[in-house]
Coordinates of all heavy atoms in Angstrom, one line a residue:
M206 N -6.2 6.6 11.4 CA -4.8 6.2 11.2 C -4.2 7.4 10.4 O -4.5 7.6 9.3 CB -4.7 4.9 10.5 CG -5.2 3.7 11.3 SD -5.2 2.2 10.3 CE -6.7 2.4 9.4
V207 N -3.3 8.0 11.0 CA -2.6 9.2 10.4 C -1.1 8.9 10.4 O -0.5 8.7 11.5 CB -2.9 10.5 11.1 CG1 -2.2 11.6 10.4 CG2 -4.4 10.8 11.1
P208 N -0.4 8.9 9.3 CA 1.0 8.7 9.3 C 1.8 9.9 9.9 O 1.3 11.0 9.9 CB 1.4 8.5 7.8 CG 0.3 9.2 7.1 CD -0.9 9.1 7.9
R209 N 2.9 9.6 10.5 CA 3.8 10.6 11.1 C 4.3 11.5 10.0 O 4.5 12.7 10.1 CB 4.9 9.9 11.8 CG 5.0 10.2 13.3 CD 6.1 9.5 14.1 NE 7.0 8.7 13.4 CZ 8.3 9.1 13.1 NH1 8.7 10.3 13.4 NH2 9.1 8.2 12.5
R210 N 4.6 10.8 8.8 CA 5.2 11.5 7.7 C 4.9 10.7 6.5 O 4.8 9.5 6.5 CB 6.7 11.7 7.9 CG 7.4 12.6 7.0 CD 8.9 12.9 7.5 NE 9.7 11.8 7.3 CZ 10.3 11.2 8.3 NH1 10.2 11.6 9.5 NH2 11.1 10.1 8.1
I211 N 4.9 11.3 5.3 CA 4.8 10.6 4.0 C 6.0 11.0 3.2 O 6.3 12.2 3.1 CB 3.5 11.0 3.3 CG1 2.3 10.6 4.2 CG2 3.4 10.4 1.9 CD1 1.0 11.2 3.7
E212 N 6.6 10.0 2.6 CA 7.8 10.3 1.7 C 7.6 9.6 0.4 O 7.0 8.5 0.3 CB 9.1 9.8 2.3 CG 9.5 10.6 3.6 CD 10.9 10.3 4.0 OE1 11.7 9.7 3.3 OE2 11.1 10.6 5.2
V213 N 8.0 10.2 -0.7 CA 8.0 9.6 -2.0 C 9.4 9.4 -2.5 O 10.2 10.4 -2.4 CB 7.3 10.6 -3.0 CG1 7.4 10.0 -4.5 CG2 5.8 10.8 -2.6
R214 N 9.8 8.2 -2.8 CA 11.2 7.9 -3.2 C 11.2 6.7 -4.1 O 10.1 6.1 -4.4 CB 12.1 7.7 -2.0 CG 11.5 6.8 -1.0 CD 12.5 6.4 0.1 NE 12.8 7.4 1.1 CZ 13.5 7.3 2.2 NH1 14.0 6.1 2.4 NH2 13.7 8.3 3.0
D215 N 12.4 6.3 -4.5 CA 12.5 5.1 -5.3 C 12.6 3.9 -4.4 O 13.6 3.8 -3.6 CB 13.8 5.1 -6.2 CG 13.8 4.0 -7.2 OD1 13.3 2.9 -6.9 OD2 14.4 4.2 -8.3
L216 N 11.6 3.0 -4.3 CA 11.6 1.9 -3.4 C 11.9 0.6 -4.1 O 11.7 -0.5 -3.5 CB 10.2 1.8 -2.8 CG 9.7 3.0 -1.9 CD1 8.3 2.7 -1.4 CD2 10.6 3.2 -0.7
G217 N 12.5 0.7 -5.2 CA 12.9 -0.5 -5.9 C 11.7 -1.3 -6.4 O 10.9 -0.7 -7.2
Y218 N 11.5 -2.5 -5.9 CA 10.5 -3.4 -6.4 C 9.1 -3.2 -5.7 O 8.2 -3.8 -6.0 CB 10.9 -4.9 -6.3 CG 11.2 -5.3 -4.9 CD1 10.2 -5.8 -4.1 CD2 12.5 -5.2 -4.4 CE1 10.5 -6.1 -2.8 CE2 12.8 -5.5 -3.1 CZ 11.8 -6.0 -2.3 OH 12.1 -6.3 -1.0
R219 N 9.1 -2.3 -4.6 CA 7.9 -2.2 -3.8 C 7.2 -0.9 -4.2 O 7.8 0.1 -4.5 CB 8.3 -2.1 -2.3 CG 8.8 -3.4 -1.8 CD 9.3 -3.2 -0.4 NE 10.4 -2.2 -0.3 CZ 10.8 -1.6 0.8 NH1 10.3 -2.0 1.9 NH2 11.8 -0.7 0.7
W220 N 5.8 -1.0 -4.2 CA 5.0 0.2 -4.4 C 5.0 1.1 -3.2 O 4.8 2.3 -3.4 CB 3.6 -0.2 -4.8 CG 3.5 -0.8 -6.2 CD1 3.2 -2.2 -6.4 CD2 3.6 -0.2 -7.4 NE1 3.2 -2.3 -7.8 CE2 3.5 -1.2 -8.4 CE3 3.9 1.1 -7.8 CZ2 3.6 -0.9 -9.8 CZ3 4.0 1.4 -9.2 CH2 3.8 0.4 -10.1
G221 N 5.0 0.5 -2.1 CA 4.9 1.3 -0.9 C 5.5 0.6 0.3 O 5.9 -0.6 0.2
S222 N 5.7 1.3 1.4 CA 6.2 0.7 2.6 C 5.8 1.5 3.8 O 5.4 2.7 3.6 CB 7.8 0.8 2.5 OG 8.4 0.3 3.6
C223 N 5.8 0.9 4.9 CA 5.4 1.6 6.2 C 6.3 1.1 7.3 O 6.5 0.0 7.5 CB 3.9 1.2 6.5 SG 3.3 2.0 8.0
S224 N 6.9 2.1 7.9 CA 7.8 1.8 9.0 C 7.8 2.9 10.1 O 7.9 4.1 9.7 CB 9.2 1.7 8.4 OG 10.2 1.5 9.5
R225 N 7.6 2.5 11.3 CA 7.6 3.4 12.4 C 6.6 4.6 12.2 O 7.0 5.8 12.5 CB 9.0 3.9 12.8 CG 9.9 2.7 13.2 CD 11.3 3.2 13.5 NE 12.1 2.1 13.7 CZ 13.4 2.1 13.6 NH1 14.0 3.2 13.3 NH2 14.2 1.0 13.7
G226 N 5.5 4.4 11.6 CA 4.5 5.5 11.4 C 4.8 6.3 10.2 O 4.0 7.2 9.9
V227 N 5.8 6.0 9.5 CA 6.1 6.8 8.3 C 5.7 5.9 7.1 O 6.0 4.7 7.0 CB 7.6 7.1 8.2 CG1 7.9 7.9 6.9 CG2 8.1 7.9 9.4
V228 N 5.0 6.5 6.1 CA 4.5 5.8 4.9 C 5.4 6.3 3.8 O 5.5 7.5 3.6 CB 3.0 6.0 4.7 CG1 2.6 5.4 3.4 CG2 2.2 5.5 5.9
Y229 N 5.9 5.3 3.0 CA 6.7 5.6 1.8 C 6.0 5.1 0.6 O 5.4 4.0 0.6 CB 8.0 4.9 1.9 CG 8.8 5.2 3.2 CD1 8.7 4.5 4.3 CD2 9.8 6.2 3.2 CE1 9.4 4.8 5.5 CE2 10.5 6.5 4.3 CZ 10.3 5.8 5.5 OH 11.0 6.1 6.6
F230 N 6.1 5.9 -0.5 CA 5.5 5.5 -1.8 C 6.6 5.6 -2.8 O 7.4 6.6 -2.9 CB 4.3 6.4 -2.1 CG 3.2 6.3 -1.2 CD1 2.9 7.3 -0.3 CD2 2.4 5.1 -1.2 CE1 1.8 7.1 0.6 CE2 1.3 5.0 -0.3 CZ 1.1 6.0 0.6
H231 N 6.6 4.6 -3.7 CA 7.5 4.7 -4.9 C 7.0 5.8 -5.8 O 5.8 6.0 -6.0 CB 7.5 3.4 -5.6 CG 8.6 3.2 -6.6 ND1 8.8 4.0 -7.7 CD2 9.6 2.3 -6.6 CE1 9.9 3.6 -8.4 NE2 10.4 2.6 -7.7
W232 N 7.9 6.6 -6.4 CA 7.5 7.7 -7.2 C 6.7 7.2 -8.4 O 5.8 7.9 -9.0 CB 8.7 8.5 -7.7 CG 9.7 7.7 -8.6 CD1 10.8 7.1 -8.1 CD2 9.6 7.5 -10.0 NE1 11.4 6.4 -9.2 CE2 10.7 6.7 -10.3 CE3 8.7 7.9 -11.0 CZ2 10.9 6.2 -11.6 CZ3 8.9 7.4 -12.3 CH2 10.0 6.6 -12.6
R233 N 6.8 5.9 -8.8 CA 6.1 5.4 -9.9 C 4.6 5.2 -9.6 O 3.8 5.0 -10.6 CB 6.6 4.0 -10.3 CG 7.9 4.1 -11.1 CD 8.4 2.7 -11.6 NE 7.4 2.1 -12.4 CZ 7.1 0.8 -12.3 NH1 7.7 0.0 -11.4 NH2 6.2 0.3 -13.0
V234 N 4.2 5.3 -8.4 CA 2.8 5.2 -8.0 C 2.0 6.3 -8.7 O 0.8 6.1 -9.2 CB 2.6 5.3 -6.5 CG1 1.1 5.5 -6.1 CG2 3.1 4.1 -5.8
M235 N 2.6 7.4 -9.0 CA 2.0 8.6 -9.6 C 1.6 8.2 -11.1 O 0.8 8.9 -11.7 CB 2.9 9.8 -9.6 CG 3.1 10.4 -8.2 SD 4.0 11.9 -8.3 CE 5.7 11.2 -8.1
Q236 N 2.2 7.2 -11.6 CA 1.9 6.8 -13.0 C 0.7 5.8 -13.1 O 0.3 5.5 -14.2 CB 3.1 6.2 -13.7 CG 4.3 7.1 -13.8 CD 5.6 6.5 -14.3 OE1 5.8 5.3 -14.0 NE2 6.3 7.3 -15.1
L237 N 0.3 5.4 -11.9 CA -0.9 4.4 -11.9 C -2.2 5.2 -12.1 O -2.3 6.4 -11.8 CB -0.9 3.6 -10.6 CG 0.3 2.7 -10.4 CD1 0.3 2.1 -8.9 CD2 0.4 1.6 -11.4
S238 N -3.2 4.4 -12.4 CA -4.6 5.1 -12.4 C -5.0 5.4 -11.0 O -4.5 4.8 -10.0 CB -5.6 4.1 -13.1 OG -5.8 3.0 -12.2
P239 N -5.9 6.4 -10.8 CA -6.4 6.7 -9.5 C -6.9 5.5 -8.7 O -6.8 5.4 -7.5 CB -7.5 7.7 -9.8 CG -7.1 8.4 -11.1 CD -6.5 7.2 -11.9
W240 N -7.6 4.6 -9.4 CA -8.1 3.4 -8.8 C -7.0 2.6 -8.1 O -7.2 2.0 -7.1 CB -8.8 2.6 -9.9 CG -9.6 1.4 -9.5 CD1 -10.7 1.4 -8.7 CD2 -9.3 0.0 -9.8 NE1 -11.2 0.1 -8.5 CE2 -10.4 -0.8 -9.2 CE3 -8.4 -0.6 -10.5 CZ2 -10.4 -2.2 -9.3 CZ3 -8.4 -2.0 -10.7 CH2 -9.4 -2.8 -10.1
L241 N -5.8 2.5 -8.8 CA -4.7 1.7 -8.2 C -3.9 2.5 -7.2 O -3.4 2.0 -6.2 CB -3.8 1.2 -9.3 CG -4.5 0.2 -10.3 CD1 -3.6 -0.2 -11.4 CD2 -5.1 -1.0 -9.5
V242 N -3.8 3.8 -7.4 CA -3.2 4.7 -6.4 C -3.9 4.5 -5.1 O -3.3 4.4 -4.0 CB -3.2 6.2 -6.8 CG1 -2.7 7.1 -5.7 CG2 -2.3 6.4 -8.1
E243 N -5.3 4.6 -5.1 CA -6.1 4.4 -3.9 C -5.8 3.1 -3.2 O -5.7 3.0 -2.0 CB -7.5 4.5 -4.4 CG -8.5 4.7 -3.2 CD -9.9 4.8 -3.8 OE1 -10.5 3.9 -4.4 OE2 -10.5 5.9 -3.6
H244 N -5.6 2.1 -4.0 CA -5.2 0.7 -3.5 C -3.9 0.8 -2.7 O -3.8 0.3 -1.6 CB -5.2 -0.3 -4.6 CG -4.5 -1.6 -4.2 ND1 -5.0 -2.5 -3.3 CD2 -3.2 -2.0 -4.5 CE1 -4.1 -3.5 -3.1 NE2 -3.0 -3.2 -3.8
V245 N -2.9 1.3 -3.4 CA -1.5 1.4 -2.8 C -1.6 2.2 -1.5 O -1.0 1.8 -0.4 CB -0.5 1.9 -3.7 CG1 0.9 2.1 -3.0 CG2 -0.3 1.0 -5.0
V246 N -2.3 3.3 -1.5 CA -2.4 4.2 -0.3 C -3.1 3.5 0.8 O -2.7 3.5 2.0 CB -3.1 5.5 -0.7 CG1 -3.3 6.3 0.6 CG2 -2.2 6.3 -1.6
A247 N -4.3 2.9 0.5 CA -5.0 2.2 1.5 C -4.2 1.0 2.1 O -4.3 0.8 3.3 CB -6.3 1.6 0.9
H248 N -3.5 0.3 1.3 CA -2.7 -0.8 1.8 C -1.6 -0.3 2.8 O -1.5 -0.9 3.9 CB -2.0 -1.4 0.6 CG -1.2 -2.7 0.9 ND1 -1.6 -3.9 0.6 CD2 0.0 -2.8 1.6 CE1 -0.7 -4.8 1.1 NE2 0.3 -4.1 1.7
E249 N -1.0 0.8 2.5 CA 0.1 1.3 3.4 C -0.5 1.9 4.7 O 0.0 1.7 5.8 CB 1.0 2.3 2.7 CG 1.8 1.6 1.5 CD 2.5 0.3 1.9 OE1 2.9 0.1 3.0 OE2 2.6 -0.5 1.0
V250 N -1.6 2.6 4.5 CA -2.3 3.2 5.7 C -2.8 2.1 6.6 O -2.7 2.2 7.8 CB -3.4 4.1 5.3 CG1 -4.3 4.5 6.5 CG2 -2.8 5.4 4.6
A251 N -3.3 1.0 6.0 CA -3.7 -0.2 6.9 C -2.5 -0.7 7.7 O -2.7 -1.2 8.8 CB -4.3 -1.3 6.0
H252 N -1.3 -0.6 7.1 CA -0.1 -1.1 7.9 C 0.2 -0.2 9.1 O 0.9 -0.7 10.0 CB 1.1 -1.1 6.9 CG 1.2 -2.4 6.2 ND1 1.2 -3.6 6.7 CD2 1.4 -2.6 4.8 CE1 1.3 -4.6 5.8 NE2 1.4 -4.0 4.6
L253 N -0.4 1.0 9.1 CA -0.2 1.8 10.3 C -0.8 1.1 11.5 O -0.4 1.2 12.7 CB -0.8 3.2 10.2 CG 0.0 4.1 9.2 CD1 -0.9 5.3 8.9 CD2 1.4 4.4 9.7
R254 N -1.9 0.3 11.3 CA -2.6 -0.4 12.4 C -2.1 -1.8 12.5 O -2.0 -2.3 13.6 CB -4.1 -0.3 12.1 CG -4.9 -1.0 13.2 CD -6.3 -0.8 13.2 NE -6.6 0.6 13.5 CZ -7.8 1.1 13.5 NH1 -8.9 0.4 13.2 NH2 -8.1 2.4 13.7
E255 N -1.9 -2.4 11.4 CA -1.5 -3.9 11.4 C -0.3 -4.1 10.5 O -0.3 -3.9 9.3 CB -2.7 -4.7 10.9 CG -2.5 -6.2 11.0 CD -2.3 -6.7 12.4 OE1 -3.0 -6.2 13.3 OE2 -1.4 -7.6 12.6
K256 N 0.9 -4.4 11.1 CA 2.1 -4.5 10.4 C 2.2 -5.7 9.4 O 2.7 -5.6 8.3 CB 3.3 -4.6 11.4 CG 3.5 -3.4 12.1 CD 4.8 -3.5 12.9 CE 5.1 -2.4 13.9 NZ 4.6 -1.0 13.6
Q257 N 1.7 -6.9 9.9 CA 1.8 -8.1 9.1 C 0.7 -8.3 8.2 O -0.4 -7.9 8.4 CB 1.9 -9.3 10.1 CG 3.0 -9.2 11.1 CD 4.4 -9.1 10.5 OE1 4.7 -9.8 9.5 NE2 5.3 -8.3 11.0
H258 N 0.9 -9.1 7.1 CA -0.1 -9.5 6.2 C -0.9 -10.7 6.6 O -1.0 -11.7 5.9 CB 0.5 -9.8 4.8 CG 1.1 -8.6 4.1 ND1 2.1 -8.7 3.2 CD2 0.6 -7.4 4.1 CE1 2.3 -7.5 2.7 NE2 1.5 -6.7 3.2
G259 N -1.4 -10.7 7.9 CA -2.2 -11.8 8.4 C -3.6 -11.5 8.1 O -4.0 -10.5 7.5
P260 N -4.5 -12.4 8.6 CA -5.9 -12.3 8.4 C -6.5 -10.9 8.9 O -7.4 -10.4 8.3 CB -6.5 -13.4 9.2 CG -5.4 -14.4 9.3 CD -4.1 -13.6 9.3
T261 N -5.9 -10.4 10.0 CA -6.4 -9.2 10.6 C -6.2 -8.0 9.6 O -7.0 -7.2 9.4 CB -5.7 -8.8 11.9 OG1 -5.9 -9.9 12.8 CG2 -6.2 -7.6 12.6
F262 N -5.0 -8.0 9.0 CA -4.7 -7.0 8.0 C -5.6 -7.0 6.8 O -6.2 -6.0 6.4 CB -3.2 -7.2 7.5 CG -2.9 -6.2 6.4 CD1 -2.4 -4.9 6.7 CD2 -3.0 -6.6 5.0 CE1 -2.1 -4.0 5.6 CE2 -2.7 -5.7 4.0 CZ -2.2 -4.4 4.3
W263 N -5.8 -8.2 6.2 CA -6.7 -8.3 5.1 C -8.1 -8.0 5.4 O -8.8 -7.4 4.6 CB -6.6 -9.7 4.4 CG -5.2 -9.9 3.9 CD1 -4.3 -10.9 4.4 CD2 -4.5 -9.2 2.9 NE1 -3.1 -10.7 3.7 CE2 -3.2 -9.7 2.7 CE3 -4.9 -8.2 2.1 CZ2 -2.3 -9.2 1.8 CZ3 -3.9 -7.6 1.1 CH2 -2.7 -8.2 1.0
R264 N -8.6 -8.4 6.6 CA -9.9 -8.0 7.0 C -10.1 -6.5 7.1 O -11.1 -5.9 6.7 CB -10.2 -8.6 8.4 CG -11.5 -9.4 8.5 CD -11.9 -10.0 9.8 NE -10.9 -10.0 10.9 CZ -10.1 -11.0 11.2 NH1 -10.1 -12.2 10.5 NH2 -9.2 -11.0 12.1
L265 N -9.1 -5.8 7.7 CA -9.1 -4.4 7.8 C -9.1 -3.7 6.4 O -9.9 -2.8 6.2 CB -7.9 -3.9 8.6 CG -7.6 -2.4 8.7 CD1 -8.7 -1.8 9.5 CD2 -6.2 -2.2 9.4
L266 N -8.3 -4.2 5.6 CA -8.2 -3.6 4.2 C -9.5 -3.8 3.4 O -10.0 -2.9 2.8 CB -7.0 -4.1 3.5 CG -6.7 -3.5 2.1 CD1 -6.5 -2.0 2.3 CD2 -5.5 -4.1 1.5
K267 N -10.1 -5.0 3.6 CA -11.3 -5.3 2.9 C -12.5 -4.5 3.4 O -13.4 -4.2 2.6 CB -11.6 -6.8 3.0 CG -12.3 -7.4 1.8 CD -12.2 -8.9 1.9 CE -12.6 -9.4 0.5 NZ -12.2 -10.8 0.3
R268 N -12.4 -4.1 4.7 CA -13.5 -3.3 5.2 C -13.5 -1.9 4.6 O -14.6 -1.4 4.4 CB -13.3 -3.2 6.7 CG -14.5 -3.0 7.5 CD -14.4 -3.2 9.0 NE -13.6 -2.1 9.6 CZ -12.8 -2.3 10.6 NH1 -12.7 -3.4 11.2 NH2 -12.1 -1.2 11.1
V269 N -12.4 -1.3 4.3 CA -12.4 0.0 3.7 C -12.3 -0.1 2.1 O -12.6 0.9 1.5 CB -11.2 0.8 4.2 CG1 -11.3 1.1 5.7 CG2 -9.9 0.2 3.8
M270 N -12.0 -1.3 1.6 CA -11.8 -1.4 0.2 C -12.3 -2.8 -0.2 O -11.4 -3.7 -0.3 CB -10.4 -1.2 -0.2 CG -10.1 -1.2 -1.7 SD -8.5 -0.6 -2.0 CE -8.6 1.2 -1.7
P271 N -13.6 -3.1 -0.3 CA -14.1 -4.4 -0.6 C -13.5 -5.1 -1.8 O -13.4 -6.3 -1.8 CB -15.6 -4.2 -0.7 CG -15.9 -2.9 0.0 CD -14.6 -2.1 -0.2
D272 N -13.1 -4.3 -2.8 CA -12.5 -5.0 -4.0 C -11.0 -5.0 -4.0 O -10.4 -5.0 -5.1 CB -13.1 -4.3 -5.3 CG -12.6 -2.8 -5.4 OD1 -12.2 -2.3 -4.3 OD2 -12.7 -2.2 -6.5
C273 N -10.4 -5.0 -2.8 CA -8.9 -4.9 -2.8 C -8.2 -6.0 -3.5 O -7.1 -5.8 -4.0 CB -8.5 -4.8 -1.3 SG -8.8 -6.2 -0.3
E274 N -8.8 -7.2 -3.5 CA -8.2 -8.3 -4.2 C -8.1 -8.0 -5.7 O -7.0 -8.3 -6.4 CB -8.9 -9.6 -4.0 CG -8.7 -10.1 -2.6 CD -9.5 -11.3 -2.2 OE1 -9.9 -12.1 -3.1 OE2 -9.7 -11.5 -1.0
N275 N -9.1 -7.5 -6.3 CA -9.1 -7.1 -7.7 C -8.0 -6.1 -8.0 O -7.3 -6.1 -9.0 CB -10.5 -6.6 -8.2 CG -11.5 -7.7 -8.3 OD1 -11.2 -8.8 -8.3 ND2 -12.8 -7.3 -8.2
R276 N -8.0 -5.1 -7.1 CA -7.0 -4.0 -7.3 C -5.6 -4.5 -7.1 O -4.7 -4.1 -7.8 CB -7.3 -2.9 -6.3 CG -8.6 -2.2 -6.5 CD -8.7 -1.0 -5.6 NE -10.1 -0.6 -5.4 CZ -10.5 0.7 -5.3 NH1 -9.6 1.7 -5.4 NH2 -11.8 1.0 -5.1
R277 N -5.4 -5.4 -6.2 CA -4.1 -6.0 -5.9 C -3.6 -6.7 -7.1 O -2.4 -6.6 -7.5 CB -4.1 -6.9 -4.7 CG -2.8 -7.4 -4.3 CD -2.9 -8.2 -3.0 NE -1.5 -8.4 -2.5 CZ -1.1 -9.4 -1.8 NH1 -2.0 -10.4 -1.5 NH2 0.1 -9.5 -1.4
N278 N -4.5 -7.5 -7.8 CA -4.1 -8.2 -9.0 C -3.8 -7.3 -10.1 O -2.9 -7.5 -10.9 CB -5.3 -9.2 -9.4 CG -5.4 -10.3 -8.4 OD1 -4.4 -10.7 -7.7 ND2 -6.6 -10.9 -8.3
A279 N -4.6 -6.2 -10.2 CA -4.4 -5.2 -11.3 C -3.1 -4.5 -11.1 O -2.4 -4.3 -12.1 CB -5.6 -4.2 -11.3
V280 N -2.7 -4.1 -9.9 CA -1.5 -3.4 -9.7 C -0.3 -4.4 -9.9 O 0.8 -3.9 -10.4 CB -1.4 -2.7 -8.3 CG1 -1.0 -3.7 -7.2 CG2 -0.5 -1.5 -8.3
A281 N -0.5 -5.6 -9.7 CA 0.6 -6.6 -9.9 C 1.0 -6.7 -11.4 O 2.1 -7.0 -11.7 CB 0.2 -8.0 -9.4
A282 N 0.0 -6.4 -12.2 CA 0.3 -6.4 -13.7 C 1.3 -5.4 -14.1 O 2.0 -5.5 -15.1 CB -1.0 -6.2 -14.5
F283 N 1.5 -4.4 -13.2 CA 2.5 -3.3 -13.5 C 3.8 -3.7 -12.8 O 4.8 -2.8 -12.9 CB 2.0 -2.0 -13.0 CG 0.9 -1.4 -13.8 CD1 -0.4 -1.7 -13.4 CD2 1.1 -0.7 -14.9 CE1 -1.5 -1.2 -14.1 CE2 0.0 -0.2 -15.6 CZ -1.3 -0.5 -15.3
G284 N 3.9 -4.8 -12.2 CA 5.2 -5.3 -11.6 C 5.3 -4.8 -10.2 O 4.4 -4.2 -9.6
G285 N 6.3 -5.2 -9.6 CA 6.6 -4.8 -8.2 C 5.7 -5.5 -7.2 O 4.9 -6.4 -7.5
R286 N 5.8 -5.1 -5.9 CA 5.0 -5.7 -4.9 C 4.3 -4.6 -4.1 O 4.9 -3.5 -4.0 CB 5.9 -6.5 -3.9 CG 6.2 -7.9 -4.3 CD 6.8 -8.7 -3.2 NE 7.1 -8.0 -1.9 CZ 8.1 -8.2 -1.2 NH1 9.0 -9.1 -1.5 NH2 8.3 -7.6 0.0
D287 N 3.2 -4.9 -3.5 CA 2.5 -3.8 -2.7 C 3.1 -3.7 -1.3 O 2.9 -2.7 -0.6 CB 1.0 -4.0 -2.6 CG 0.7 -5.4 -2.2 OD1 1.5 -6.2 -1.6 OD2 -0.5 -5.8 -2.3
A288 N 4.0 -4.6 -0.9 CA 4.7 -4.5 0.3 C 3.8 -4.4 1.5 O 3.6 -3.5 2.2 CB 5.8 -3.4 0.3
Ligands
ZN485 ZN1 1.7 -4.8 2.9

């Protein structure tokens, strides 16, 4: 899964976003620990294959990041949504 383009911008309350093959990251992601940056990146890259947050999406994310639930909870402590 390779994005068409990657952009860093102010996404408001979201850490990341994926639309039409383009992956967007909030500039604040750079302030997170590498463990959480990895989580945000993996989440958005998984959206390149599966758009919705259904069972298929979570299965895919868990396959590449078995502890994704722990990371998701940890990033939530910094506010925002993983989108
Ligand atoms: Zn998402």
Side-chain angles (χ1 to χ4, degrees):
M206 294 177 280
V207 178
R209 243 177 2 102
R210 194 171 68 242
I211 297 170
E212 292 190 20
V213 175
R214 51 169 74 171
D215 190 330
L216 297 177
Y218 60 89
R219 294 174 299 168
W220 288 110
S222 175
C223 181
S224 176
R225 298 179 188 161
V227 180
V228 175
Y229 302 89
F230 296 107
H231 195 298
W232 62 265
R233 285 184 57 223
V234 170
M235 291 183 273
Q236 297 177 322
L237 297 172
S238 69
W240 187 65
L241 296 179
V242 171
E243 193 176 63
H244 162 73
V245 174
V246 171
H248 185 109
E249 298 311 327
V250 169
H252 274 309
L253 291 171
R254 181 168 292 178
E255 185 62 39
K256 291 187 187 331
Q257 305 299 319
H258 288 148
T261 305
F262 175 84
W263 295 115
R264 232 183 349 264
L265 173 65
L266 188 57
K267 213 166 195 166
R268 207 167 70 211
V269 296
M270 186 172 285
D272 65 343
C273 65
E274 287 174 24
N275 290 340
R276 296 188 201 214
R277 189 174 190 212
N278 291 334
V280 82
F283 291 93
R286 274 193 0 214
D287 52 14

